[in-house]
PDB file of all heavy atoms in Angstrom:
ATOM      1  N   SER A   4      87.366  61.435 -98.713  1.00  0.00           N
ATOM      2  CA  SER A   4      86.974  60.033 -98.611  1.00  0.00           C
ATOM      3  C   SER A   4      87.775  59.312 -97.537  1.00  0.00           C
ATOM      4  O   SER A   4      87.274  58.440 -96.833  1.00  0.00           O
ATOM      5  CB  SER A   4      87.144  59.334 -99.962  1.00  0.00           C
ATOM      6  OG  SER A   4      88.507  59.320-100.344  1.00  0.00           O
ATOM      7  N   VAL A  14      83.764  54.617 -85.584  1.00  0.00           N
ATOM      8  CA  VAL A  14      82.414  54.251 -85.170  1.00  0.00           C
ATOM      9  C   VAL A  14      82.265  52.745 -85.089  1.00  0.00           C
ATOM     10  O   VAL A  14      81.667  52.202 -84.142  1.00  0.00           O
ATOM     11  CB  VAL A  14      81.369  54.851 -86.140  1.00  0.00           C
ATOM     12  CG1 VAL A  14      79.978  54.295 -85.834  1.00  0.00           C
ATOM     13  CG2 VAL A  14      81.361  56.366 -86.053  1.00  0.00           C
ATOM     14  N   ASN A  32      75.991  37.024 -66.272  1.00  0.00           N
ATOM     15  CA  ASN A  32      74.670  37.218 -65.658  1.00  0.00           C
ATOM     16  C   ASN A  32      74.569  38.518 -64.850  1.00  0.00           C
ATOM     17  O   ASN A  32      73.850  38.578 -63.847  1.00  0.00           O
ATOM     18  CB  ASN A  32      74.327  36.039 -64.728  1.00  0.00           C
ATOM     19  CG  ASN A  32      74.052  34.775 -65.512  1.00  0.00           C
ATOM     20  OD1 ASN A  32      73.485  34.832 -66.598  1.00  0.00           O
ATOM     21  ND2 ASN A  32      74.488  33.649 -64.978  1.00  0.00           N
ATOM     22  N   ALA A  74      54.369  48.684 -25.717  1.00  0.00           N
ATOM     23  CA  ALA A  74      55.548  49.501 -26.037  1.00  0.00           C
ATOM     24  C   ALA A  74      56.744  48.623 -26.378  1.00  0.00           C
ATOM     25  O   ALA A  74      57.529  48.936 -27.281  1.00  0.00           O
ATOM     26  CB  ALA A  74      55.875  50.423 -24.871  1.00  0.00           C
ATOM     27  N   LEU A 112      68.254  57.775 -25.857  1.00  0.00           N
ATOM     28  CA  LEU A 112      69.230  58.741 -26.368  1.00  0.00           C
ATOM     29  C   LEU A 112      70.135  58.106 -27.417  1.00  0.00           C
ATOM     30  O   LEU A 112      70.457  58.731 -28.434  1.00  0.00           O
ATOM     31  CB  LEU A 112      70.074  59.301 -25.222  1.00  0.00           C
ATOM     32  CG  LEU A 112      69.477  60.481 -24.458  1.00  0.00           C
ATOM     33  CD1 LEU A 112      70.289  60.770 -23.203  1.00  0.00           C
ATOM     34  CD2 LEU A 112      69.418  61.711 -25.348  1.00  0.00           C
ATOM     35  N   ASP A 113      70.540  56.868 -27.176  1.00  0.00           N
ATOM     36  CA  ASP A 113      71.375  56.159 -28.163  1.00  0.00           C
ATOM     37  C   ASP A 113      70.633  56.020 -29.492  1.00  0.00           C
ATOM     38  O   ASP A 113      71.231  56.192 -30.568  1.00  0.00           O
ATOM     39  CB  ASP A 113      71.764  54.777 -27.641  1.00  0.00           C
ATOM     40  CG  ASP A 113      72.758  54.850 -26.486  1.00  0.00           C
ATOM     41  OD1 ASP A 113      73.423  55.892 -26.345  1.00  0.00           O
ATOM     42  OD2 ASP A 113      72.861  53.864 -25.732  1.00  0.00           O
ATOM     43  N   SER A 130      61.790  69.752 -40.670  1.00  0.00           N
ATOM     44  CA  SER A 130      60.912  69.746 -39.493  1.00  0.00           C
ATOM     45  C   SER A 130      61.079  68.463 -38.678  1.00  0.00           C
ATOM     46  O   SER A 130      61.035  68.495 -37.439  1.00  0.00           O
ATOM     47  CB  SER A 130      59.449  69.923 -39.910  1.00  0.00           C
ATOM     48  OG  SER A 130      59.033  68.863 -40.746  1.00  0.00           O
ATOM     49  N   ALA A 133      64.269  68.771 -36.784  1.00  0.00           N
ATOM     50  CA  ALA A 133      64.066  69.707 -35.677  1.00  0.00           C
ATOM     51  C   ALA A 133      63.363  69.016 -34.508  1.00  0.00           C
ATOM     52  O   ALA A 133      63.742  69.203 -33.342  1.00  0.00           O
ATOM     53  CB  ALA A 133      63.255  70.910 -36.149  1.00  0.00           C
ATOM     54  N   LEU A 136      65.806  66.635 -32.766  1.00  0.00           N
ATOM     55  CA  LEU A 136      66.750  67.381 -31.932  1.00  0.00           C
ATOM     56  C   LEU A 136      66.085  67.863 -30.643  1.00  0.00           C
ATOM     57  O   LEU A 136      66.684  67.827 -29.561  1.00  0.00           O
ATOM     58  CB  LEU A 136      67.295  68.575 -32.715  1.00  0.00           C
ATOM     59  CG  LEU A 136      68.287  68.239 -33.832  1.00  0.00           C
ATOM     60  CD1 LEU A 136      68.441  69.429 -34.783  1.00  0.00           C
ATOM     61  CD2 LEU A 136      69.642  67.844 -33.260  1.00  0.00           C
ATOM     62  N   ALA A 155      72.294  69.820 -24.864  1.00  0.00           N
ATOM     63  CA  ALA A 155      70.894  70.137 -25.138  1.00  0.00           C
ATOM     64  C   ALA A 155      70.774  71.520 -25.769  1.00  0.00           C
ATOM     65  O   ALA A 155      69.983  71.732 -26.695  1.00  0.00           O
ATOM     66  CB  ALA A 155      70.081  70.071 -23.851  1.00  0.00           C
ATOM     67  N   LEU A 156      71.555  72.470 -25.282  1.00  0.00           N
ATOM     68  CA  LEU A 156      71.530  73.828 -25.823  1.00  0.00           C
ATOM     69  C   LEU A 156      71.933  73.830 -27.296  1.00  0.00           C
ATOM     70  O   LEU A 156      71.317  74.527 -28.121  1.00  0.00           O
ATOM     71  CB  LEU A 156      72.468  74.725 -25.009  1.00  0.00           C
ATOM     72  CG  LEU A 156      72.540  76.197 -25.419  1.00  0.00           C
ATOM     73  CD1 LEU A 156      71.170  76.851 -25.345  1.00  0.00           C
ATOM     74  CD2 LEU A 156      73.547  76.942 -24.541  1.00  0.00           C
ATOM     75  N   LEU A 159      69.023  72.390 -29.325  1.00  0.00           N
ATOM     76  CA  LEU A 159      67.874  73.296 -29.407  1.00  0.00           C
ATOM     77  C   LEU A 159      68.170  74.504 -30.296  1.00  0.00           C
ATOM     78  O   LEU A 159      67.279  74.995 -30.997  1.00  0.00           O
ATOM     79  CB  LEU A 159      67.475  73.755 -28.005  1.00  0.00           C
ATOM     80  CG  LEU A 159      66.859  72.650 -27.140  1.00  0.00           C
ATOM     81  CD1 LEU A 159      66.811  73.068 -25.675  1.00  0.00           C
ATOM     82  CD2 LEU A 159      65.461  72.307 -27.634  1.00  0.00           C
ATOM     83  N   PHE A 174      60.700  77.145 -25.611  1.00  0.00           N
ATOM     84  CA  PHE A 174      60.601  77.023 -24.157  1.00  0.00           C
ATOM     85  C   PHE A 174      61.775  76.214 -23.609  1.00  0.00           C
ATOM     86  O   PHE A 174      62.389  76.601 -22.604  1.00  0.00           O
ATOM     87  CB  PHE A 174      59.294  76.351 -23.747  1.00  0.00           C
ATOM     88  CG  PHE A 174      59.265  75.988 -22.295  1.00  0.00           C
ATOM     89  CD1 PHE A 174      59.055  76.961 -21.325  1.00  0.00           C
ATOM     90  CD2 PHE A 174      59.513  74.681 -21.881  1.00  0.00           C
ATOM     91  CE1 PHE A 174      59.078  76.639 -19.967  1.00  0.00           C
ATOM     92  CE2 PHE A 174      59.539  74.356 -20.535  1.00  0.00           C
ATOM     93  CZ  PHE A 174      59.326  75.342 -19.571  1.00  0.00           C
ATOM     94  N   LYS A 191      64.116  86.075 -23.425  1.00  0.00           N
ATOM     95  CA  LYS A 191      63.827  86.217 -24.860  1.00  0.00           C
ATOM     96  C   LYS A 191      63.245  84.923 -25.433  1.00  0.00           C
ATOM     97  O   LYS A 191      62.295  84.954 -26.226  1.00  0.00           O
ATOM     98  CB  LYS A 191      65.096  86.584 -25.611  1.00  0.00           C
ATOM     99  CG  LYS A 191      65.608  87.989 -25.326  1.00  0.00           C
ATOM    100  CD  LYS A 191      66.923  88.252 -26.052  1.00  0.00           C
ATOM    101  CE  LYS A 191      67.487  89.625 -25.690  1.00  0.00           C
ATOM    102  NZ  LYS A 191      68.806  89.859 -26.352  1.00  0.00           N
TER     103      LYS A 191
END
Side-chain angles (χ1 to χ4, degrees):
S4 64
V14 171
N32 290 324
L112 275 170
D113 290 340
S130 61
L136 287 164
L156 181 58
L159 290 166
F174 170 76
K191 291 177 184 177

